[in-house]
Amino acid sequence: MRLRWLGSFLVVTFAGMAQASDAVADFSMFRAPLPPPDEGAQTHWNFPALRASPDSTLVSSTSGVARTLSLLAGSTAQRRNHVRILVYGQSLSKQSWAERVRDELMRRYPHADIEFHNLAIGGFVASMLKRTLEQDVIPLYPDLIILHDFGREDDYEEIVRQIRTRTTAELLLQNDPWTPNQRADWHDQHSWQWMPALAARWGVQMVDIRGAWRDYMADQRLSVDELLQKDQSHLNHRGNFVWAEATLRHLTAPQEPLQPNKQPVRTLVVGKDVHWMGNKLTLPFTGNRIDVIADPKGTVGAAARVVIDGKAPSQWPSLYAFTRPNADANRDWPWQTGATMRVDRQAPLLLEDWTITFTTFAPESAQFSFSVVGSKTGYDGSGESDKPFVSRSGRVVLSPEDWFIERVIGRESAVHLHSGYKITFGVRPQFVDTYVAPPTPDPVRSYVTTLAQGLPMGRHTLQMLSPVKARPLIKEIRVYSPMVGPVTAAGEVAVPHNAKSM
């Protein structure tokens, strides 16, 4: 019975690929936070393995994450590479497959220093997720992002474009699973035609979750319901297993090292590629971020003044970032906290903390008025939730569509919204004006200081100035150059050329 159902299901969906409608599929089933775990979920990943991938697909399945794999696989007991990984998306990305991926990477690459984040937001389709990138993803600047989301394709591509042109993060894009009652023709076209073209345009890797589910259901004689929780939307334990294993296939380093077409991140050795000349180190570079790696033989506390294009980094407005409003590691943001999804600005920021206070609140309509106060700026104006707000200083700009308040009202475990309710966020630096050599207690680890992150993409000149006898010992300088547009017609990743003189 299961096989007959599966066979007819696949025939219908494949036939629909050629006639897929341009209309957007219905994602209403995912517009809620993650439900409680299925009571029958197992505690061990003891399911039959996925169908083996042909050896011929190994290189193509990892080429889009070559830098991440080189960092992971290149970590040794003598040199531990730091690798920052972010899982982003909506409720499916919050499930336990992500923990399995994290744990398996730590097992496979025991010498890598893996920093793993999951900032997925339940219920956030692409039109919403593209708004939260500004505080969640861009300042974090990961090495790898594992992304799945639902929503309109133009919004989805905007997420990819923002990530690729503002960071050097590699991307693993996961296409859509099967779920009952979905518009299969739309999801087939989206997953197997549009998304591969998107991945090629932006030089990223695609994980064929949909194909893995199809094959696993056929091989194990399962219906789609047997990979899902009772809500028929979220993954049960077996569904999480298939999702994790399909993703991990792309995170297994091949025996032959992979070389990307262009290196978006370049590491320069001080004393070989760049030199101190008296009390000054000068480096022309092309990019939007620059780091230094301390030499463990140096003196802790030795310092050098940092200048980029003749200015201190603190004079660059783009090097300041807002934090997630009402962030709480122990609560489901923003479903349990209530917040604005995003804060913008029209004027240069100060390093300070901000508070939005509700001065009135009408629960029946979720309308409210508020005041805005900065710890340094002071009182900066008042506004109403249904109108655009620009603070007196221009340092806080709020859009009516970004308030995540109405869906919080009446939810169990959510905050109680009322007059006097507060939303807090801060401004954090993505720079240092003075580099101070940090302690380096473990010589096999890299001790990295970001001098500037978020520069306008283009050519810049770094200068580090220090008294000759007291200058810090720097082992390496790392330059990050994101893409400037989609992959070129010749198939090369469009990143700015970093001159040999660097």
Side-chain angles (χ1 to χ4, degrees):
M1 182 66 180
R2 288 177 184 165
L3 282 177
R4 284 199 299 272
W5 177 89
L6 178 59
S8 62
F9 180 70
L10 293 179
V11 168
V12 170
T13 54
F14 279 118
M17 285 179 66
Q19 303 174 1
S21 169
D22 291 334
V24 178
D26 176 22
F27 307 110
S28 59
M29 73 285 284
F30 293 100
R31 291 177 182 166
L34 184 64
D38 186 4
E39 292 179 1
Q42 301 181 40
T43 56
H44 301 288
W45 300 87
N46 55 348
F47 298 103
L50 274 62
R51 183 185 300 180
S53 295
D55 291 340
S56 61
T57 67
L58 181 61
V59 172
S60 63
S61 71
T62 55
S63 58
V65 290
R67 179 173 180 268
T68 299
L69 287 177
S70 68
L71 289 172
L72 291 168
S75 294
T76 66
Q78 291 72 42
R79 182 182 176 100
R80 299 176 67 101
N81 294 322
H82 181 267
V83 187
R84 181 177 294 159
I85 299 173
L86 171 67
V87 173
Y88 208 53
Q90 53 181 182
S91 56
L92 294 181
S93 297
K94 294 166 70 74
Q95 295 203 251
S96 61
W97 68 262
E99 297 174 10
R100 175 167 173 79
V101 168
R102 177 200 62 197
D103 295 345
E104 180 62 16
L105 290 179
M106 291 180 174
R107 186 193 69 80
R108 290 181 184 179
Y109 309 108
H111 297 301
D113 284 336
I114 298 175
E115 178 189 337
F116 198 93
H117 300 265
N118 191 332
L119 294 176
I121 310 167
F124 272 45
V125 293
S127 59
M128 301 168 73
L129 206 67
K130 73 179 184 181
R131 299 290 296 163
T132 57
L133 283 173
E134 193 67 30
Q135 80 250 344
D136 287 353
V137 178
I138 305 304
L140 188 63
Y141 212 116
D143 297 299
L144 172 68
I145 299 173
I146 304 173
L147 173 69
H148 174 267
D149 202 9
F150 292 101
R152 294 178 57 91
E153 290 175 346
D154 55 347
D155 292 325
Y156 196 107
E157 181 152 13
E158 178 61 14
I159 293 172
V160 173
R161 187 189 72 81
Q162 289 280 341
I163 290 171
R164 294 295 276 165
T165 59
R166 299 180 65 190
T167 79
T168 56
E170 294 179 315
L171 265 171
L172 272 182
L173 301 180
Q174 300 165 322
N175 62 13
D176 297 344
W178 305 101
T179 57
N181 304 317
Q182 70 179 195
R183 279 197 47 197
D185 61 340
W186 190 92
H187 287 277
D188 287 345
Q189 186 276 339
H190 175 79
S191 295
W192 288 330
Q193 294 181 22
W194 180 82
M195 190 170 286
L198 173 74
R201 266 197 308 280
W202 290 100
V204 302
Q205 195 72 43
M206 192 191 86
V207 181
D208 188 10
I209 297 292
R210 196 168 184 82
W213 276 41
R214 173 200 59 199
D215 294 344
Y216 199 78
M217 287 188 292
D219 294 347
Q220 305 302 322
R221 302 186 178 187
L222 301 171
S223 72
V224 69
D225 295 319
E226 292 173 280
L227 297 177
L228 297 170
Q229 294 189 26
K230 294 176 182 178
D231 64 4
Q232 294 192 317
S233 298
H234 294 92
L235 316 176
N236 65 16
H237 210 59
R238 181 153 37 188
N240 274 292
F241 169 78
V242 178
W243 196 294
E245 294 303 297
T247 303
L248 284 165
R249 284 176 171 175
H250 297 264
L251 296 171
T252 300
Q255 293 183 351
E256 296 296 326
L258 290 167
Q259 297 296 328
N261 290 338
K262 296 265 189 176
Q263 287 286 356
V265 182
R266 299 192 65 201
T267 300
L268 308 169
V269 179
V270 176
K272 176 184 176 184
D273 304 308
V274 60
H275 302 269
W276 285 94
M277 301 296 290
N279 73 328
K280 182 187 300 184
L281 182 150
T282 302
L283 174 63
F285 69 95
T286 300
N288 74 342
R289 171 180 166 182
I290 188 162
D291 294 349
V292 296
I293 294 87
D295 189 325
K297 300 176 183 177
T299 302
V300 175
R305 185 161 59 91
V306 179
V307 178
I308 296 177
D309 297 349
K311 298 187 294 185
S314 58
Q315 294 179 297
W316 290 86
S318 60
L319 303 188
Y320 295 74
F322 284 119
T323 63
R324 179 184 267 189
N326 270 11
D328 187 338
N330 299 312
R331 309 193 79 189
D332 188 20
W333 187 90
W335 292 91
Q336 294 178 348
T337 64
T340 177
M341 298 187 298
R342 174 170 171 150
V343 182
D344 290 306
R345 69 275 189 94
Q346 291 183 357
L349 300 176
L350 303 176
L351 299 178
E352 61 181 324
D353 295 317
W354 286 90
T355 302
I356 300 172
T357 303
F358 290 11
T359 51
T360 66
F361 182 72
E364 65 280 0
S365 63
Q367 297 294 309
F368 54 92
S369 58
F370 58 87
S371 63
V372 176
V373 176
S375 60
K376 293 181 181 177
T377 302
Y379 174 75
D380 211 23
S382 300
E384 298 178 6
S385 58
D386 59 347
K387 297 180 177 63
F389 171 79
V390 180
S391 72
R392 292 177 175 180
S393 69
R395 294 182 182 130
V396 174
V397 177
L398 304 169
S399 298
E401 64 269 21
D402 285 335
W403 292 109
F404 199 83
I405 297 297
E406 185 175 356
R407 278 169 283 189
V408 174
I409 298 173
R411 294 192 62 85
E412 292 184 10
S413 75
V415 295
H416 173 59
L417 301 175
H418 54 87
S419 178
Y421 178 72
K422 297 183 184 301
I423 296 173
T424 60
F425 56 95
V427 179
R428 300 294 178 260
Q430 300 180 110
F431 63 86
V432 294
D433 281 347
T434 300
Y435 170 70
V436 179
T440 55
D442 188 344
V444 305
R445 284 183 163 85
S446 295
Y447 294 89
V448 179
T449 299
T450 296
L451 302 184
Q453 176 183 306
L455 291 164
M457 185 59 211
R459 292 186 175 274
H460 302 283
T461 298
L462 166 72
Q463 290 185 324
M464 299 186 71
L465 307 169
S466 178
V468 175
K469 293 182 180 180
R471 69 188 183 199
L473 285 185
I474 298 172
K475 183 179 180 181
E476 296 167 336
I477 299 178
R478 198 166 289 156
V479 176
Y480 297 73
S481 301
M483 296 175 68
V484 295
V487 172
T488 65
E492 293 188 347
V493 176
V495 297
H497 175 67
N498 286 294
K500 288 277 188 180
S501 62
M502 290 204 317

